[in-house]
Amino acid sequence: MAVVSSGHITQKAHPLDLVEEAIAMREWALDRPKRDELLVEVTGRWCNYQVFFHWSNDIGALQISCVLDLRSPEQSKSLIYELLALVNDRLGIGHFHVDSIEGLPAYRHTLLLRGGTLSAEQVEDLLDIALHETDRFYPAFQYVIWGGQTPINAIAAVAFETVGEA
């Protein structure tokens, strides 16, 4: 149960405790360097992803970031930004961005919990959606960064719709 006092949200159990339990059940390697941060290494479809959780007590928000280890050369930055726009148009929840410090693309979503509590189902959904979208669009980033494809061709290669039944 969340309690608001002096503009801050406090819970009997820290929200990252529940996240930590969900990750332990999946038997993924994790590290909790600070009370409000949790780091996880996850094996995705294409490579290992670094997943970061951050709890912001001030606004009652849980943020997940799933980082793709795809460093892009400086000359492809404008193409990556064009690809971000195309990818983000196809997302219903969360968004992709490029980290301003390391220049790595990442999927990010923030769950606002002010006045509520975090459930195990919400944690599972956060994880599943982040990994699904990261796996889904990883090849598009790779096609642009290392394959020399245009963002439009890269998104066409990964975002096709299946019609009918096999």
Side-chain angles (χ1 to χ4, degrees):
M1 171 186 240
V3 179
V4 179
S5 65
S6 303
H8 294 282
I9 295 176
T10 58
Q11 293 187 309
K12 291 183 181 179
H14 194 285
L16 288 184
D17 294 342
L18 188 58
V19 173
E20 193 170 345
E21 288 175 24
I23 290 167
M25 289 175 56
R26 292 182 183 211
E27 299 181 352
W28 290 336
L30 67 90
D31 184 27
R32 191 150 173 199
K34 297 179 183 174
R35 178 170 163 75
D36 293 337
E37 292 180 5
L38 188 108
L39 314 171
V40 186
E41 184 168 334
V42 178
T43 301
R45 182 174 180 194
W46 307 105
C47 66
N48 288 346
Y49 303 127
Q50 299 297 316
V51 180
F52 300 92
F53 287 91
H54 180 263
W55 171 250
S56 177
N57 198 51
D58 292 342
I59 60 172
L62 178 63
Q63 184 178 81
I64 184 172
S65 295
C66 190
V67 179
L68 290 71
D69 191 11
L70 286 171
R71 296 188 194 286
S72 59
E74 191 63 38
Q75 64 268 21
S76 66
K77 294 283 187 199
S78 63
L79 293 173
I80 294 301
Y81 291 122
E82 183 181 339
L83 178 62
L84 285 174
L86 295 170
V87 167
N88 286 333
D89 276 347
R90 287 161 176 78
L91 294 175
I93 296 175
H95 67 278
F96 279 89
H97 73 108
V98 173
D99 177 81
S100 62
I101 297 171
E102 299 202 27
L104 298 173
Y107 171 85
R108 183 165 58 186
H109 179 63
T110 302
L111 183 62
L112 298 173
L113 298 169
R114 183 176 168 182
T117 58
L118 182 65
S119 71
E121 292 82 6
Q122 287 173 304
V123 173
E124 291 295 325
D125 289 347
L126 274 175
L127 285 165
D128 291 344
I129 291 168
L131 295 176
H132 171 78
E133 298 298 3
T134 304
D135 279 343
R136 180 177 162 207
F137 290 107
Y138 180 92
F141 286 97
Q142 196 171 39
Y143 292 158
V144 169
I145 294 171
W146 302 116
Q149 294 294 313
T150 66
I152 291 172
N153 288 343
I155 206 72
V158 301
F160 60 90
E161 301 272 338
T162 304
V163 178
E165 294 182 28

